[in-house]
Amino acid sequence: MPIAVPFFTGSRQLSIELAEPVVLLRGPPSDPTTHVLRGEVELVLSRPMTASQVLVRLIGKSNMLWPEGLGHHRGSKIYHEKTILDQNLILDCRPEENQMLPAGLHRWPFEFLIPNRMVETIEDEMAQVYYYISATVQRPGMSTPNLRCRRNILLLRTLAPSDDALTSHALPTTSIVAERRTPACDATIYIEKSIVSSGTQFPISITLTTQMKNVRLESMNVVLTEKRVYEVPEYNARRAELHDYKLQLASITNTSDSEQMRQAMVSSDEIPTDQIRRALYGKNAHIPLGATPFQYKFMFTLPNCLTMNHTTYFREMNFLHDLKIDIEFSVPAVSSTNSSDSGDEQTTDNTTERTHIHLETPITILDCRLKEDYTTLPTYQESMTDTTIDAEDANDALKKRTGFFICPCYVDYKKKSSEYTRKERMMFRQNSPPISRSSSIDSFSLPPPPPYVYKS
């Protein structure tokens, strides 16, 4: 999470101000796009100070815990860390005859270019990828300490369509429609979103159509599987883990058209909700199908960020997710039959057998801080009713956002989002001509909007 760690002394303060402390990577890493991270290094001096250089660095690191040990001597090395990004900028280099900085406020703007292929921020219990910016004011002399400060930043991948996809009208389809056919029953499974954030609601619609009599629904199992693969190429080490999450049911809605069934003289009696819940959380529900149409929308709740990671594209920390749906039926067995006088075959054994309909499909889990829908464009009403969490109403976050689990990192992320209004002010200050150092930041103001032109 983005936090500022300034350097404080009695006479000076060094800090890093960012236009946006969160970089949103759009699309998969293969998209050839570049993102810009803008900011300023600020130094407040109450008295003059000598300085030779002002440096700023953008650093990305990955670390991993390996309890079983790495290398030839197992147990001697259980922690591995390496640098995956290192960019340096010299903001100010002062000659020896002019190394005195006067008292007041000093600003040095900077820009970093971040390619879209970079790894997004990962916060797993066994592995991490994190980024930060460090600023250093170097002072002449061996005994004079340098001034340093650091600020963490976030790289989040949204998988939103890139500009090339928008211009070529090649927007991806995020919904999934699957059909499964068996001699006893046909199933149509509709997954509205295959790109979702952890902790949000996940709707699945299921329609069952029987092809014979005496078919009963016994159980439905909806499981989200997370596969975690950890690799350390330097030591030729690899470890894989599987974690299953049984989705929790939030609500059930009957989607059948009662008026159309009434005209077709079909019974529109709904299946009791407790029977459907018994099929989801147990076995042998014995729900008869055929007389009453089975068309229901199930609203599930995905696991939150405390237990599940988001989908990644990093080979050394590769986290993939699959949705598995298994529906079990009981159908009449046809093992023993006799011929009647009319020539038709009739079942003489009342035993039943079990048959299954199975669906397994990959889905993409976004970071928990991307709970808003970043995969599709918002509607006009949604864009006009945005509820950014401020510092005053952080305690009422649960009342404002009831559709998903609100984690502490999401609340902190929304607090930082409310401060993004300084981006325009910073851009205007960097593009404007220099002024005297005695003026404060509050003296800057954006130009007024142009007057309206009324056309007859």
Side-chain angles (χ1 to χ4, degrees):
M1 290 167 281
I3 57 175
V5 186
F7 183 91
F8 291 98
T9 67
S11 59
R12 49 190 174 266
Q13 174 185 350
L14 181 65
S15 63
I16 300 174
E17 294 294 330
L18 298 176
E20 293 182 358
V22 180
V23 179
L24 297 180
L25 305 177
R26 297 177 55 191
S30 57
D31 287 356
T33 56
T34 303
H35 310 275
V36 181
L37 178 63
R38 296 183 178 91
E40 294 175 340
V41 175
E42 292 187 358
L43 176 62
V44 180
L45 298 176
S46 59
R47 58 175 180 264
M49 184 193 75
T50 58
S52 58
Q53 276 189 343
V54 179
L55 308 175
V56 63
R57 297 178 64 190
L58 173 61
I59 300 176
K61 291 187 176 183
S62 68
N63 58 60
M64 190 178 305
L65 290 176
W66 211 271
E68 57 269 25
L70 293 169
H72 299 288
H73 301 284
R74 295 283 180 168
S76 60
K77 183 179 178 61
I78 61 174
Y79 179 80
H80 179 72
E81 182 182 61
K82 67 178 181 180
T83 301
I84 60 176
L85 177 65
D86 192 352
Q87 297 183 15
N88 300 271
L89 292 177
I90 300 178
L91 303 182
D92 192 2
C93 185
R94 310 181 70 85
E96 294 184 1
E97 62 274 8
N98 186 22
Q99 293 186 347
M100 185 65 65
L101 291 176
L105 174 62
H106 303 267
R107 293 193 182 96
W108 295 274
F110 62 85
E111 287 186 359
F112 285 107
L113 299 181
I114 302 178
N116 198 60
R117 65 176 182 272
M118 290 306 303
V119 185
E120 62 274 10
T121 301
I122 301 176
E123 299 171 345
D124 181 59
E125 56 185 6
M126 301 297 293
Q128 291 182 348
V129 173
Y130 60 95
Y131 298 87
Y132 65 90
I133 295 178
S134 64
T136 304
V137 178
Q138 295 183 353
R139 305 186 62 190
M142 298 295 294
S143 60
T144 306
N146 298 329
L147 304 184
R148 304 178 187 273
C149 71
R150 165 176 164 170
R151 179 160 184 174
N152 296 343
I153 62 173
L154 283 174
L155 266 66
L156 305 180
R157 189 170 300 278
T158 65
L159 291 186
S162 61
D163 295 336
D164 295 337
L166 291 174
T167 55
S168 61
H169 304 283
L171 297 179
T173 301
T174 60
S175 61
I176 298 176
V177 179
E179 294 184 355
R180 296 293 185 270
R181 299 183 182 276
T182 65
C185 184
D186 297 340
T188 302
I189 303 174
Y190 174 58
I191 302 173
E192 294 185 8
K193 297 180 180 180
S194 61
I195 304 176
V196 290
S197 178
S198 59
T200 57
Q201 292 185 344
F202 188 60
I204 301 177
S205 299
I206 299 177
T207 301
L208 301 177
T209 305
T210 59
Q211 302 297 330
M212 62 173 60
K213 297 180 179 180
N214 301 324
V215 178
R216 296 177 181 272
L217 174 63
E218 301 296 344
S219 65
M220 290 188 299
N221 193 24
V222 182
V223 176
L224 181 63
T225 301
E226 179 180 86
K227 181 180 180 181
R228 305 176 186 175
V229 178
Y230 306 92
E231 290 188 8
V232 183
E234 293 82 358
Y235 294 92
N236 196 22
R238 187 179 187 273
R239 184 178 69 248
E241 300 177 359
L242 286 178
H243 299 266
D244 291 336
Y245 304 94
K246 187 175 179 61
L247 300 188
Q248 299 299 317
L249 181 65
S251 63
I252 305 174
T253 304
N254 187 2
T255 59
S256 59
D257 191 346
S258 58
E259 180 64 23
Q260 184 178 4
M261 290 188 298
R262 186 185 63 82
Q263 295 178 0
M265 294 185 297
V266 178
S267 175
S268 60
D269 296 336
E270 294 188 7
I271 301 175
T273 305
D274 56 347
Q275 292 189 19
I276 301 179
R277 290 181 179 272
R278 190 185 312 126
L280 286 169
Y281 295 107
K283 291 184 177 293
N284 302 324
H286 302 306
I287 300 177
L289 301 177
T292 302
F294 190 96
Q295 299 178 9
Y296 286 89
K297 180 179 180 180
F298 300 88
M299 189 68 68
F300 295 97
T301 302
L302 293 177
N304 54 57
C305 60
L306 303 180
T307 57
M308 185 177 65
N309 296 300
H310 60 85
T311 304
T312 65
Y313 295 86
F314 191 29
R315 176 185 174 185
E316 300 180 14
M317 305 174 193
N318 191 14
F319 304 150
L320 301 177
H321 299 85
D322 291 303
L323 180 67
K324 300 178 181 179
I325 301 177
D326 186 80
I327 307 175
E328 184 181 16
F329 304 95
S330 62
V331 299
V334 292
S335 57
S336 60
T337 57
N338 293 329
S339 297
S340 62
D341 296 336
S342 59
D344 297 332
E345 292 187 350
Q346 294 181 350
T347 301
T348 60
D349 194 354
N350 293 327
T351 61
T352 60
E353 59 183 10
R354 299 297 176 98
T355 181
H356 294 262
I357 289 179
H358 185 74
L359 171 65
E360 182 172 352
T361 179
I363 64 172
T364 302
I365 303 296
L366 299 179
D367 190 275
C368 62
R369 284 156 286 220
L370 299 177
K371 286 182 167 59
E372 282 86 357
D373 190 359
Y374 281 90
T375 60
T376 58
L377 296 177
T379 62
Y380 176 79
Q381 182 179 5
E382 291 172 346
S383 61
M384 296 299 294
T385 58
D386 180 39
T387 55
T388 301
I389 297 180
D390 299 326
E392 291 79 9
D393 59 0
N395 296 329
D396 298 334
L398 290 174
K399 298 180 182 178
K400 288 192 174 185
R401 306 269 183 171
T402 59
F404 48 77
F405 168 82
I406 296 185
C407 53
C409 50
Y410 174 78
V411 175
D412 185 78
Y413 169 74
K414 295 304 293 184
K415 287 181 181 179
K416 294 295 187 291
S417 300
S418 62
E419 303 174 3
Y420 288 175
T421 54
R422 64 177 178 269
K423 176 181 178 181
E424 291 79 9
R425 180 175 298 182
M426 184 179 297
M427 293 292 296
F428 175 74
R429 181 170 61 242
Q430 294 180 5
N431 295 329
S432 61
I435 60 174
S436 62
R437 296 182 180 271
S438 59
S439 61
S440 63
I441 187 174
D442 293 331
S443 62
F444 293 99
S445 61
L446 294 176
Y452 289 103
V453 178
Y454 296 94
K455 297 182 179 180
S456 57

